[in-house]
Amino acid sequence: MSNAKSLEELEQKQDFIRRHIGPSPAQVSDMLSALEVSSVQELIDQTVPASIRLEQPLTVGQSRTEVETLSYLKSVASKNKVFKSYIGQGYHPTNVPHVILRNVLENPGWYTAYTPYQPEIAQGRLESLLNFQTMTLDLTGLDLASASLLDESTAAAEAMGLAKRVSKAKKANAFFIADDVHTQTIDVVTTRAEQFGFEIIVGKAEDAVNHDIFGALFQYPTTSGEVVDITDLIAGVQSKKAIACVAADIMSLLLLKAPGKLGADVVLGSAQRFGVPMGYGGPHAAFFATRDAYKRSLPGRIIGVSKDRLGNDALRMAMQTREQHIRRDKANSNICTAQVLLANMAAFYAVYHGPQGLKTIAQRIHRFADILASGLKAKGIALKHSTWFDTLTVVSDSKDDVIARAIAKGVNFATNHEGEYSISVSETTTRADITELFDIILGEGHGLSVDAIAADVEANGSESIPASLVRDDEVLTHPNFNSYHSETDMLRYIKRLESKDLSLNHSMISLGSCTMKLNATAEMIPITWPEFANLHPFCPLDQAEGYQIMINELHDWLVNITGYDAVSLQPNSGAQGEYAGLIAIRKYHESRGDAHRNVCLIPSSAHGTNPASAQMASMKIVVVNCDKNGNVDMSDLKAKAEEVSENLSCIMITYPSTHGVYEETIREICDIIHEHGGQVYMDGANMNAQVGVTSPGFIGSDVSHLNLHKTFCIPHGGGGPGVGPIGVKSHLAPFMPNHSVINVPGTNIGNGAVSAAPYGSAAILPISWAYITMMGSEGLKQATEMAIVNANYLTHELSKHFPILYRGRNNRVAHECIVDLRPLKELSGITEMDVAKRLQDYGFHSPTMSFPVAGTLMIEPTESESKGEIDRFIEAMVSIKGEIEKVISGEWSIENNPLVFAPHTQGDVLGNEWDRAYDRFYAAFPVPAVAKNKFWPTVTRIDDVYGDRNLVCSCPAVETYRD
Ligand SMILES: *Cc1c(COP(=O)(O)O)cnc(C)c1O
C-alpha cells in the first residue's frame, strides 16, 4: 500500500506541537509565499544574525503527547506527601469554593485575560478587583487600597519603601521590624533594605520607640500567634514621625479590631487563606492599604471608579501616571505583573461567603483554637501566650518526640523556632483533627473529649481575644458581598463579569512584548491537583520530593534553553527577576572589592521596569540613546561606557530589542560592557524570539530573567500571576536568592530572599514544565520560528497600509513589529487611542500602545495564532485605516466619526437618539466577520481625567446600583 505509514509516523501525528502552533502547514506555505521565501529556514536565515545562531539543538527531550505528559507528571506529583498542615506562618489550608475553582481558576475566560489596560473590555475583572479593594478597606480599616501585590513579604518591603517616602522623620535611616514578624518577611524586607542602604533593626516590638526610625513593622497576630493590642506601639512609632506598618492575617480581621482603627498607617498581608490553595508557596495575592494622604506613594495598581462618555460608572486603573511604565526611575515600585487572578479568587471567596459566612468561618477557626488550648492547658501543657486567634505556640522540652509523632500521623507543625512548636488551625480543621492533635501532643489515652471541651468553652466563654480587640464594626456591607450566596447566583455573577472581558478565548491579543500565546488546557490541569496545590512552602523537603523533581527538571531545561549555568525560580514576576538579577550583579562586584560599581546603562527604548528595578538596587541610571533605526547608538554606548568605566556596574538590554529587531551589534555591546568591567543583564521578556534559535548565554550575557508568563505559557491571569526566574552564568550563581526558612541549594547561605516562598510561585511551574515537555527541543524551536513567520507575515501585510517603524536586516522583523500611526494622526487628528478603542468594536484587544514609542502600536501575534485570525486582525486594521481616510478626506468630521466615538456599546448603538455621520449597524458591525463573533464592550470610552480627579477606589455607593 502506497499510503502506509510507519507506526512511528502515526504516533508523531499525535504530538502536541501542531496543537500549540496556530498555522496549518498550508497556511505556513501561503505566508512564506507572501514573504517570497521558499522555506521557514530561508526566512530565519534572513532574519536572525548568523553570528548568534545556536550550533547545537536544545537538549530538553523529544516532544511528548498530552496524555504521556500528564501521566508522567502525575507519577511525579504523587511523590509529594500531602500532610495536614498546621504550620501557619502566613500559609493556611483553605476550602476553595468549587464554583470559584471551576469557573475562575480553571476558566480561560478569567485566566487568559491581560492586565486591564483597555478598561472598556475589562469591566468584569475590574469590578472583581474593586471588590478586592473594598474588602481590603473594610478589613484593614484604612482609606485607600491597591489591587494586589505579589506576596505578604514583598508587600512589607513595599511598605518600608512607602514609609521612607512619606515619613517626616527625614533624617532617620532605619526601619524597625518586630522580632515576632514572620521569618520570611524579615528576610525579604532586610534584602530590600540592604539595596536601599537602610538599616534594619529587629527587636522586641516594645523597643521600636527607642530607635531613630522612619518606620516600623508589626505582625498582627504575631507569628507565634499572640494577639496583642498594638495601639500604643503604633502611637509610639508615630510620636517619632515614623510610619507604623502592620502585617495582618486576613481571616483574623473578621474578629479582631482593624489595625487602621488602632492607628496603623499601612496594613498589608496575604489573601491566600481566602480560597487560594497554598501551592507550595504561591501564587497568592497580597493586600495593601494606607491613608488617603499617601496615595501618590502607593505601590502597585489602584482600580478606580470613573465615568464613561455617556456618564455611566466605569472602572479603570487609576493614576496610571504613578506606574513604572511612565515614571521609570522615579516609580514608586517596579511592580508590573501582579496577582490579579488570585486577588479575584479571594474577592469572590468574600462575595460568596459574605460577611456572615466569613465571620462564621473565622469564629469556627478561633473556637477550635480555644478548644485545643483548653484541652492542652487542662493537661498541664504550657502555652507561650494567653491570647490567640488561630495559632498556639507550645514551649516544650519534648518537642522532638511530639514532632516525630506528628510526622508519623501525617501532620506538620511549625518548628523553626527553637524549643517551641506552633499549631495553626484553619478552615479545613475538623473535630476529628483536634482529637488527633491531642493524641499527638499528649499521647493516646489522654481521655479528652472535644465535644465536652467545646461545651465548656461555649458555656464559659473565652478570653483569648482581649476585650479591647474584639471587632465591633460592620464589614462588607456593600451589596456585592451580600447578594450572591447561593451557587446559582454566584455562578451567574462570575459569568456576568467574565462576559464583560475580552480574553484569549474570544480573539487574539497581540500585545507586543507580552507574548499572549496559547495557555494549553493540558498545561493548566496539574496546578489544581491536590499533590501540587496543598503543600505548605515550609513543609519538610522530604515531603516535597515531587516538587523537587519537577523543579529540578525545569531548572535544567531552562539552563539549557538560556545558555546559562544556573537558574533561580524564586522571583514572582519579570520585574522581581530584574531586581534579583541586579542584586546578584551588585553582590558579585562587592565580592571582588568593586562595591563602588553602581552605574547601570539603559537604552532609551527599555521597558519601564528596567530603570525602576535599577533604582530599587540603588543604581545610578545612565540612558543610552537609540539611533534612527531604533538600534542602540553604538557611539553613544561607547562614549557612556568610557565615561563611567570605573563605576560601570552593568547594562540592561532587551533582546531582540523592544523595537522588535535582532540588533546585529549585540555581541559587540556585550564585549564593550565586559571590557569596562561591567555585567550584561539581558531582559528576557522577548525570549519567544530566542528559544532554540539563540540564547542569552550564547550571545554573551551574564544574567537574564525569563517571563514564564510570556514565553513559557503561564497565563497572564488578567494581570498576574507570573514567574520571573533568573538565569545566570556560574560566576553570578552564588549570589542568587536564598531563603531563611528553607535553604535553596546552590546559593550562599547568607543571601537574602526576594520572595516570601523559597520557590516563589511554585504551584504554576507545572505549566511551563508541561509546555517544555510537550514541545520538546524540536517543538520549542519551531515555536520560535513560527512566531517569526507570523510576525513577518503580519508586518508584510500591514506595511502595505501603514509605515512600520523599525526593521532589521533584509527588512525583516523579529517576533513583533511597531506600526507607526503618527503620520495618519498628523493628517487626520485621529489618535492611537482612537484606533485602539475602535479595534474593540472589531472584536480585538488593542496591541501595545505607545510603548516603546509614543503614537505607535506594537503587535506580537505569537506562534499560536492561525493565519485566519491574523488575517481578520489585518482586515480590521485596514478597515480602520479606511475610516481614518474618510476623516482626512472630510467625509467625516473629526468630531463625528466611528473612531472618536469608539467603542460602541449596545446602549449607545440602540439608543433612541442617533446623530452620527455613520449608521448604527456600521458602528457595531464594520466588517462582516464581526457579526459571527460580536464582542460588546459594556461601557463607552472612559474619562481618565475625571477618575483621577475624583479618586474612588472602593465599590460605588448602593444608590448607583438602583437604576
Ligand atoms: C513584561 C516585561 C517586563 C516585566 O515583566 P513583569 O513580569 O510584568 O514584571 C520587563 N521587560 C519587558 C521588555 C517586558 O515586556
Side-chain angles (χ1 to χ4, degrees), residues 322-363:
R322 298 168 324 116
E323 279 226 343
Q324 36 71 27
H325 283 102
I326 297 157
R327 297 279 305 265
R328 299 171 65 97
D329 51 322
K330 297 193 179 51
N332 287 328
S333 81
N334 66 342
I335 290 172
C336 184
T337 289
Q339 303 281 21
V340 170
L341 187 68
L342 305 314
N344 285 335
M345 285 181 72
F348 278 129
Y349 179 92
V351 165
Y352 193 42
H353 289 300
Q356 268 322 313
L358 290 177
K359 211 165 174 178
T360 303
I361 293 169
Q363 281 168 335

mmCIF file of all heavy atoms in Angstrom, residues 322-363:
data_model
loop_
_atom_site.group_PDB
_atom_site.id
_atom_site.type_symbol
_atom_site.label_atom_id
_atom_site.label_comp_id
_atom_site.label_asym_id
_atom_site.label_seq_id
_atom_site.Cartn_x
_atom_site.Cartn_y
_atom_site.Cartn_z
ATOM 1 N N ARG A 322 1.429 57.037 37.989
ATOM 2 C CA ARG A 322 2.344 56.609 39.029
ATOM 3 C C ARG A 322 3.086 55.352 38.612
ATOM 4 O O ARG A 322 4.015 54.920 39.261
ATOM 5 C CB ARG A 322 1.587 56.250 40.321
ATOM 6 C CG ARG A 322 0.803 57.354 40.976
ATOM 7 C CD ARG A 322 -0.083 56.726 42.047
ATOM 8 N NE ARG A 322 -0.538 55.422 41.570
ATOM 9 C CZ ARG A 322 -0.226 54.275 42.125
ATOM 10 N NH1 ARG A 322 0.474 54.235 43.207
ATOM 11 N NH2 ARG A 322 -0.648 53.145 41.595
ATOM 12 N N GLU A 323 2.567 54.702 37.553
ATOM 13 C CA GLU A 323 3.100 53.387 37.205
ATOM 14 C C GLU A 323 4.523 53.465 36.668
ATOM 15 O O GLU A 323 4.939 54.458 36.085
ATOM 16 C CB GLU A 323 2.197 52.721 36.162
ATOM 17 C CG GLU A 323 0.997 52.073 36.798
ATOM 18 C CD GLU A 323 0.751 50.670 36.249
ATOM 19 O OE1 GLU A 323 1.297 50.338 35.198
ATOM 20 O OE2 GLU A 323 0.024 49.923 36.908
ATOM 21 N N GLN A 324 5.218 52.354 36.826
ATOM 22 C CA GLN A 324 6.622 52.324 36.432
ATOM 23 C C GLN A 324 6.818 52.556 34.938
ATOM 24 O O GLN A 324 7.844 53.052 34.514
ATOM 25 C CB GLN A 324 7.298 51.029 36.864
ATOM 26 C CG GLN A 324 6.440 49.786 36.809
ATOM 27 C CD GLN A 324 6.138 49.333 35.417
ATOM 28 O OE1 GLN A 324 6.897 49.583 34.516
ATOM 29 N NE2 GLN A 324 5.005 48.692 35.239
ATOM 30 N N HIS A 325 5.809 52.230 34.131
ATOM 31 C CA HIS A 325 5.955 52.455 32.700
ATOM 32 C C HIS A 325 6.259 53.915 32.397
ATOM 33 O O HIS A 325 6.967 54.238 31.465
ATOM 34 C CB HIS A 325 4.659 52.114 31.970
ATOM 35 C CG HIS A 325 4.476 50.664 31.810
ATOM 36 N ND1 HIS A 325 3.639 49.936 32.606
ATOM 37 C CD2 HIS A 325 5.042 49.796 30.964
ATOM 38 C CE1 HIS A 325 3.702 48.679 32.242
ATOM 39 N NE2 HIS A 325 4.541 48.557 31.254
ATOM 40 N N ILE A 326 5.658 54.762 33.185
ATOM 41 C CA ILE A 326 5.733 56.171 32.873
ATOM 42 C C ILE A 326 6.771 56.862 33.750
ATOM 43 O O ILE A 326 7.584 57.643 33.281
ATOM 44 C CB ILE A 326 4.336 56.801 33.035
ATOM 45 C CG1 ILE A 326 3.410 56.140 32.013
ATOM 46 C CG2 ILE A 326 4.377 58.299 32.845
ATOM 47 C CD1 ILE A 326 1.971 56.201 32.329
ATOM 48 N N ARG A 327 6.830 56.491 35.012
ATOM 49 C CA ARG A 327 7.739 57.186 35.925
ATOM 50 C C ARG A 327 9.163 56.628 35.866
ATOM 51 O O ARG A 327 10.098 57.252 36.361
ATOM 52 C CB ARG A 327 7.206 57.093 37.361
ATOM 53 C CG ARG A 327 5.868 57.777 37.562
ATOM 54 C CD ARG A 327 6.002 59.276 37.741
ATOM 55 N NE ARG A 327 6.907 59.635 38.829
ATOM 56 C CZ ARG A 327 6.531 59.900 40.064
ATOM 57 N NH1 ARG A 327 5.265 59.836 40.396
ATOM 58 N NH2 ARG A 327 7.414 60.218 40.988
ATOM 59 N N ARG A 328 9.301 55.429 35.344
ATOM 60 C CA ARG A 328 10.621 54.815 35.210
ATOM 61 C C ARG A 328 11.432 54.915 36.500
ATOM 62 O O ARG A 328 10.996 54.365 37.511
ATOM 63 C CB ARG A 328 11.326 55.405 33.994
ATOM 64 C CG ARG A 328 10.517 55.100 32.710
ATOM 65 C CD ARG A 328 11.033 55.834 31.508
ATOM 66 N NE ARG A 328 12.357 55.393 31.160
ATOM 67 C CZ ARG A 328 12.634 54.492 30.222
ATOM 68 N NH1 ARG A 328 11.660 53.960 29.526
ATOM 69 N NH2 ARG A 328 13.860 54.154 29.955
ATOM 70 N N ASP A 329 12.578 55.593 36.496
ATOM 71 C CA ASP A 329 13.382 55.562 37.723
ATOM 72 C C ASP A 329 12.780 56.402 38.854
ATOM 73 O O ASP A 329 13.287 56.393 39.964
ATOM 74 C CB ASP A 329 14.837 55.949 37.450
ATOM 75 C CG ASP A 329 14.954 57.253 36.685
ATOM 76 O OD1 ASP A 329 14.119 57.488 35.795
ATOM 77 O OD2 ASP A 329 15.870 58.026 36.995
ATOM 78 N N LYS A 330 11.685 57.094 38.591
ATOM 79 C CA LYS A 330 11.009 57.792 39.678
ATOM 80 C C LYS A 330 9.785 57.011 40.161
ATOM 81 O O LYS A 330 8.986 57.500 40.949
ATOM 82 C CB LYS A 330 10.593 59.187 39.223
ATOM 83 C CG LYS A 330 11.800 60.023 38.888
ATOM 84 C CD LYS A 330 11.492 61.489 38.739
ATOM 85 C CE LYS A 330 12.790 62.236 38.434
ATOM 86 N NZ LYS A 330 13.551 61.624 37.312
ATOM 87 N N ALA A 331 9.637 55.792 39.675
ATOM 88 C CA ALA A 331 8.464 54.989 40.029
ATOM 89 C C ALA A 331 8.462 54.631 41.516
ATOM 90 O O ALA A 331 9.506 54.577 42.152
ATOM 91 C CB ALA A 331 8.456 53.714 39.194
ATOM 92 N N ASN A 332 7.252 54.411 42.053
ATOM 93 C CA ASN A 332 7.122 54.008 43.452
ATOM 94 C C ASN A 332 7.595 52.581 43.682
ATOM 95 O O ASN A 332 7.982 52.216 44.779
ATOM 96 C CB ASN A 332 5.656 54.073 43.885
ATOM 97 C CG ASN A 332 5.210 55.492 44.033
ATOM 98 O OD1 ASN A 332 5.994 56.343 44.394
ATOM 99 N ND2 ASN A 332 3.958 55.749 43.745
ATOM 100 N N SER A 333 7.458 51.752 42.670
ATOM 101 C CA SER A 333 7.906 50.362 42.790
ATOM 102 C C SER A 333 8.106 49.874 41.370
ATOM 103 O O SER A 333 7.771 50.562 40.417
ATOM 104 C CB SER A 333 6.865 49.514 43.508
ATOM 105 O OG SER A 333 5.843 49.123 42.614
ATOM 106 N N ASN A 334 8.648 48.662 41.248
ATOM 107 C CA ASN A 334 8.855 48.132 39.893
ATOM 108 C C ASN A 334 7.753 47.148 39.515
ATOM 109 O O ASN A 334 7.879 46.442 38.527
ATOM 110 C CB ASN A 334 10.228 47.463 39.793
ATOM 111 C CG ASN A 334 10.330 46.227 40.661
ATOM 112 O OD1 ASN A 334 9.534 46.045 41.566
ATOM 113 N ND2 ASN A 334 11.310 45.389 40.381
ATOM 114 N N ILE A 335 6.682 47.095 40.304
ATOM 115 C CA ILE A 335 5.670 46.065 40.070
ATOM 116 C C ILE A 335 4.901 46.322 38.776
ATOM 117 O O ILE A 335 4.393 47.408 38.546
ATOM 118 C CB ILE A 335 4.706 45.981 41.253
ATOM 119 C CG1 ILE A 335 5.463 45.401 42.439
ATOM 120 C CG2 ILE A 335 3.501 45.108 40.910
ATOM 121 C CD1 ILE A 335 4.693 45.433 43.707
ATOM 122 N N CYS A 336 4.889 45.313 37.926
ATOM 123 C CA CYS A 336 4.117 45.378 36.687
ATOM 124 C C CYS A 336 3.127 44.222 36.780
ATOM 125 O O CYS A 336 2.006 44.386 37.251
ATOM 126 C CB CYS A 336 5.080 45.252 35.502
ATOM 127 S SG CYS A 336 4.311 45.430 33.910
ATOM 128 N N THR A 337 3.537 43.004 36.420
ATOM 129 C CA THR A 337 2.691 41.840 36.658
ATOM 130 C C THR A 337 2.477 41.690 38.165
ATOM 131 O O THR A 337 3.439 41.723 38.927
ATOM 132 C CB THR A 337 3.384 40.587 36.088
ATOM 133 O OG1 THR A 337 3.346 40.667 34.672
ATOM 134 C CG2 THR A 337 2.687 39.315 36.544
ATOM 135 N N ALA A 338 1.219 41.551 38.566
ATOM 136 C CA ALA A 338 0.910 41.361 39.989
ATOM 137 C C ALA A 338 0.173 40.024 40.148
ATOM 138 O O ALA A 338 0.573 39.033 39.536
ATOM 139 C CB ALA A 338 0.121 42.543 40.511
ATOM 140 N N GLN A 339 -0.896 39.986 40.917
ATOM 141 C CA GLN A 339 -1.556 38.697 41.215
ATOM 142 C C GLN A 339 -3.057 38.818 40.991
ATOM 143 O O GLN A 339 -3.862 38.447 41.855
ATOM 144 C CB GLN A 339 -1.281 38.298 42.675
ATOM 145 C CG GLN A 339 0.181 38.188 43.055
ATOM 146 C CD GLN A 339 0.817 36.885 42.588
ATOM 147 O OE1 GLN A 339 0.332 36.223 41.668
ATOM 148 N NE2 GLN A 339 1.920 36.516 43.197
ATOM 149 N N VAL A 340 -3.459 39.283 39.830
ATOM 150 C CA VAL A 340 -4.872 39.598 39.613
ATOM 151 C C VAL A 340 -5.770 38.366 39.763
ATOM 152 O O VAL A 340 -6.790 38.410 40.458
ATOM 153 C CB VAL A 340 -5.070 40.249 38.230
ATOM 154 C CG1 VAL A 340 -6.546 40.352 37.884
ATOM 155 C CG2 VAL A 340 -4.416 41.629 38.219
ATOM 156 N N LEU A 341 -5.398 37.261 39.153
ATOM 157 C CA LEU A 341 -6.267 36.076 39.203
ATOM 158 C C LEU A 341 -6.522 35.644 40.647
ATOM 159 O O LEU A 341 -7.642 35.285 41.017
ATOM 160 C CB LEU A 341 -5.629 34.927 38.411
ATOM 161 C CG LEU A 341 -6.499 33.689 38.250
ATOM 162 C CD1 LEU A 341 -7.690 33.979 37.342
ATOM 163 C CD2 LEU A 341 -5.702 32.520 37.690
ATOM 164 N N LEU A 342 -5.489 35.698 41.462
ATOM 165 C CA LEU A 342 -5.611 35.258 42.843
ATOM 166 C C LEU A 342 -6.356 36.279 43.687
ATOM 167 O O LEU A 342 -7.113 35.927 44.600
ATOM 168 C CB LEU A 342 -4.224 34.972 43.430
ATOM 169 C CG LEU A 342 -3.345 33.971 42.661
ATOM 170 C CD1 LEU A 342 -4.115 32.739 42.264
ATOM 171 C CD2 LEU A 342 -2.622 34.573 41.493
ATOM 172 N N ALA A 343 -6.161 37.561 43.372
ATOM 173 C CA ALA A 343 -6.947 38.598 44.055
ATOM 174 C C ALA A 343 -8.425 38.405 43.717
ATOM 175 O O ALA A 343 -9.299 38.532 44.585
ATOM 176 C CB ALA A 343 -6.473 39.990 43.635
ATOM 177 N N ASN A 344 -8.700 38.078 42.469
ATOM 178 C CA ASN A 344 -10.086 37.832 42.081
ATOM 179 C C ASN A 344 -10.662 36.642 42.839
ATOM 180 O O ASN A 344 -11.811 36.670 43.291
ATOM 181 C CB ASN A 344 -10.184 37.577 40.574
ATOM 182 C CG ASN A 344 -10.033 38.863 39.774
ATOM 183 O OD1 ASN A 344 -10.312 39.947 40.273
ATOM 184 N ND2 ASN A 344 -9.584 38.738 38.537
ATOM 185 N N MET A 345 -9.873 35.586 42.966
ATOM 186 C CA MET A 345 -10.364 34.416 43.711
ATOM 187 C C MET A 345 -10.701 34.790 45.155
ATOM 188 O O MET A 345 -11.736 34.386 45.690
ATOM 189 C CB MET A 345 -9.318 33.302 43.697
ATOM 190 C CG MET A 345 -9.211 32.573 42.370
ATOM 191 S SD MET A 345 -7.972 31.257 42.440
ATOM 192 C CE MET A 345 -8.819 30.038 43.471
ATOM 193 N N ALA A 346 -9.808 35.549 45.773
ATOM 194 C CA ALA A 346 -10.044 35.938 47.168
ATOM 195 C C ALA A 346 -11.276 36.834 47.277
ATOM 196 O O ALA A 346 -12.088 36.697 48.200
ATOM 197 C CB ALA A 346 -8.809 36.644 47.723
ATOM 198 N N ALA A 347 -11.417 37.740 46.305
ATOM 199 C CA ALA A 347 -12.583 38.633 46.334
ATOM 200 C C ALA A 347 -13.869 37.821 46.152
ATOM 201 O O ALA A 347 -14.868 38.046 46.841
ATOM 202 C CB ALA A 347 -12.448 39.693 45.240
ATOM 203 N N PHE A 348 -13.834 36.868 45.239
ATOM 204 C CA PHE A 348 -15.027 36.026 45.029
ATOM 205 C C PHE A 348 -15.336 35.188 46.267
ATOM 206 O O PHE A 348 -16.498 34.926 46.582
ATOM 207 C CB PHE A 348 -14.842 35.117 43.808
ATOM 208 C CG PHE A 348 -15.132 35.800 42.499
ATOM 209 C CD1 PHE A 348 -14.223 35.752 41.455
ATOM 210 C CD2 PHE A 348 -16.339 36.473 42.296
ATOM 211 C CE1 PHE A 348 -14.489 36.369 40.239
ATOM 212 C CE2 PHE A 348 -16.619 37.088 41.079
ATOM 213 C CZ PHE A 348 -15.683 37.032 40.046
ATOM 214 N N TYR A 349 -14.300 34.760 46.954
ATOM 215 C CA TYR A 349 -14.486 33.998 48.192
ATOM 216 C C TYR A 349 -15.286 34.855 49.181
ATOM 217 O O TYR A 349 -16.226 34.378 49.823
ATOM 218 C CB TYR A 349 -13.107 33.642 48.731
ATOM 219 C CG TYR A 349 -13.034 32.874 50.031
ATOM 220 C CD1 TYR A 349 -12.987 31.486 50.027
ATOM 221 C CD2 TYR A 349 -12.932 33.540 51.257
ATOM 222 C CE1 TYR A 349 -12.860 30.774 51.220
ATOM 223 C CE2 TYR A 349 -12.808 32.848 52.443
ATOM 224 C CZ TYR A 349 -12.771 31.460 52.431
ATOM 225 O OH TYR A 349 -12.631 30.769 53.611
ATOM 226 N N ALA A 350 -14.920 36.130 49.260
ATOM 227 C CA ALA A 350 -15.639 37.031 50.172
ATOM 228 C C ALA A 350 -17.055 37.307 49.669
ATOM 229 O O ALA A 350 -18.001 37.390 50.450
ATOM 230 C CB ALA A 350 -14.860 38.341 50.329
ATOM 231 N N VAL A 351 -17.201 37.427 48.359
ATOM 232 C CA VAL A 351 -18.532 37.656 47.778
ATOM 233 C C VAL A 351 -19.436 36.454 48.070
ATOM 234 O O VAL A 351 -20.597 36.597 48.449
ATOM 235 C CB VAL A 351 -18.407 37.876 46.251
ATOM 236 C CG1 VAL A 351 -19.754 37.748 45.551
ATOM 237 C CG2 VAL A 351 -17.773 39.243 45.963
ATOM 238 N N TYR A 352 -18.882 35.260 47.910
ATOM 239 C CA TYR A 352 -19.667 34.022 48.057
ATOM 240 C C TYR A 352 -20.075 33.793 49.511
ATOM 241 O O TYR A 352 -21.217 33.459 49.810
ATOM 242 C CB TYR A 352 -18.826 32.848 47.555
ATOM 243 C CG TYR A 352 -19.589 31.563 47.344
ATOM 244 C CD1 TYR A 352 -20.857 31.547 46.760
ATOM 245 C CD2 TYR A 352 -19.027 30.340 47.705
ATOM 246 C CE1 TYR A 352 -21.536 30.355 46.543
ATOM 247 C CE2 TYR A 352 -19.700 29.148 47.488
ATOM 248 C CZ TYR A 352 -20.961 29.158 46.910
ATOM 249 O OH TYR A 352 -21.623 27.977 46.696
ATOM 250 N N HIS A 353 -19.144 33.970 50.413
ATOM 251 C CA HIS A 353 -19.461 33.726 51.828
ATOM 252 C C HIS A 353 -20.172 34.908 52.458
ATOM 253 O O HIS A 353 -20.978 34.726 53.373
ATOM 254 C CB HIS A 353 -18.186 33.403 52.610
ATOM 255 C CG HIS A 353 -17.613 32.057 52.295
ATOM 256 N ND1 HIS A 353 -18.318 30.890 52.495
ATOM 257 C CD2 HIS A 353 -16.420 31.689 51.790
ATOM 258 C CE1 HIS A 353 -17.570 29.853 52.126
ATOM 259 N NE2 HIS A 353 -16.412 30.316 51.680
ATOM 260 N N GLY A 354 -19.850 36.105 52.011
ATOM 261 C CA GLY A 354 -20.452 37.298 52.607
ATOM 262 C C GLY A 354 -19.933 37.518 54.016
ATOM 263 O O GLY A 354 -19.220 36.675 54.569
ATOM 264 N N PRO A 355 -20.279 38.669 54.607
ATOM 265 C CA PRO A 355 -19.737 38.987 55.931
ATOM 266 C C PRO A 355 -20.120 37.938 56.983
ATOM 267 O O PRO A 355 -19.293 37.556 57.811
ATOM 268 C CB PRO A 355 -20.343 40.357 56.254
ATOM 269 C CG PRO A 355 -21.443 40.567 55.258
ATOM 270 C CD PRO A 355 -21.099 39.752 54.063
ATOM 271 N N GLN A 356 -21.345 37.456 56.921
ATOM 272 C CA GLN A 356 -21.762 36.469 57.923
ATOM 273 C C GLN A 356 -21.010 35.163 57.761
ATOM 274 O O GLN A 356 -20.519 34.584 58.723
ATOM 275 C CB GLN A 356 -23.284 36.217 57.825
ATOM 276 C CG GLN A 356 -24.099 37.103 58.744
ATOM 277 C CD GLN A 356 -23.423 37.333 60.099
ATOM 278 O OE1 GLN A 356 -22.933 36.401 60.754
ATOM 279 N NE2 GLN A 356 -23.344 38.588 60.504
ATOM 280 N N GLY A 357 -20.930 34.711 56.516
ATOM 281 C CA GLY A 357 -20.252 33.446 56.242
ATOM 282 C C GLY A 357 -18.784 33.509 56.642
ATOM 283 O O GLY A 357 -18.243 32.570 57.239
ATOM 284 N N LEU A 358 -18.136 34.616 56.323
ATOM 285 C CA LEU A 358 -16.721 34.758 56.670
ATOM 286 C C LEU A 358 -16.539 34.766 58.179
ATOM 287 O O LEU A 358 -15.620 34.151 58.727
ATOM 288 C CB LEU A 358 -16.151 36.047 56.077
ATOM 289 C CG LEU A 358 -15.988 36.089 54.558
ATOM 290 C CD1 LEU A 358 -15.488 37.469 54.128
ATOM 291 C CD2 LEU A 358 -15.026 35.011 54.067
ATOM 292 N N LYS A 359 -17.450 35.479 58.818
ATOM 293 C CA LYS A 359 -17.345 35.566 60.275
ATOM 294 C C LYS A 359 -17.523 34.174 60.885
ATOM 295 O O LYS A 359 -16.811 33.807 61.824
ATOM 296 C CB LYS A 359 -18.431 36.519 60.793
ATOM 297 C CG LYS A 359 -18.003 37.231 62.034
ATOM 298 C CD LYS A 359 -18.876 38.411 62.350
ATOM 299 C CE LYS A 359 -18.415 38.945 63.700
ATOM 300 N NZ LYS A 359 -19.097 40.111 64.152
ATOM 301 N N THR A 360 -18.444 33.415 60.332
ATOM 302 C CA THR A 360 -18.660 32.052 60.836
ATOM 303 C C THR A 360 -17.401 31.216 60.659
ATOM 304 O O THR A 360 -17.000 30.477 61.568
ATOM 305 C CB THR A 360 -19.839 31.406 60.080
ATOM 306 O OG1 THR A 360 -20.984 32.247 60.260
ATOM 307 C CG2 THR A 360 -20.137 30.018 60.599
ATOM 308 N N ILE A 361 -16.761 31.334 59.500
ATOM 309 C CA ILE A 361 -15.524 30.578 59.257
ATOM 310 C C ILE A 361 -14.458 30.992 60.279
ATOM 311 O O ILE A 361 -13.812 30.148 60.908
ATOM 312 C CB ILE A 361 -15.026 30.808 57.815
ATOM 313 C CG1 ILE A 361 -16.004 30.181 56.815
ATOM 314 C CG2 ILE A 361 -13.627 30.227 57.628
ATOM 315 C CD1 ILE A 361 -15.752 30.583 55.367
ATOM 316 N N ALA A 362 -14.313 32.292 60.481
ATOM 317 C CA ALA A 362 -13.292 32.792 61.410
ATOM 318 C C ALA A 362 -13.610 32.354 62.843
ATOM 319 O O ALA A 362 -12.710 31.958 63.599
ATOM 320 C CB ALA A 362 -13.200 34.307 61.320
ATOM 321 N N GLN A 363 -14.891 32.415 63.208
ATOM 322 C CA GLN A 363 -15.268 32.026 64.579
ATOM 323 C C GLN A 363 -15.016 30.539 64.807
ATOM 324 O O GLN A 363 -14.574 30.130 65.874
ATOM 325 C CB GLN A 363 -16.752 32.336 64.818
ATOM 326 C CG GLN A 363 -16.986 33.811 65.101
ATOM 327 C CD GLN A 363 -18.451 34.194 65.055
ATOM 328 O OE1 GLN A 363 -19.258 33.530 64.395
ATOM 329 N NE2 GLN A 363 -18.796 35.267 65.749
#
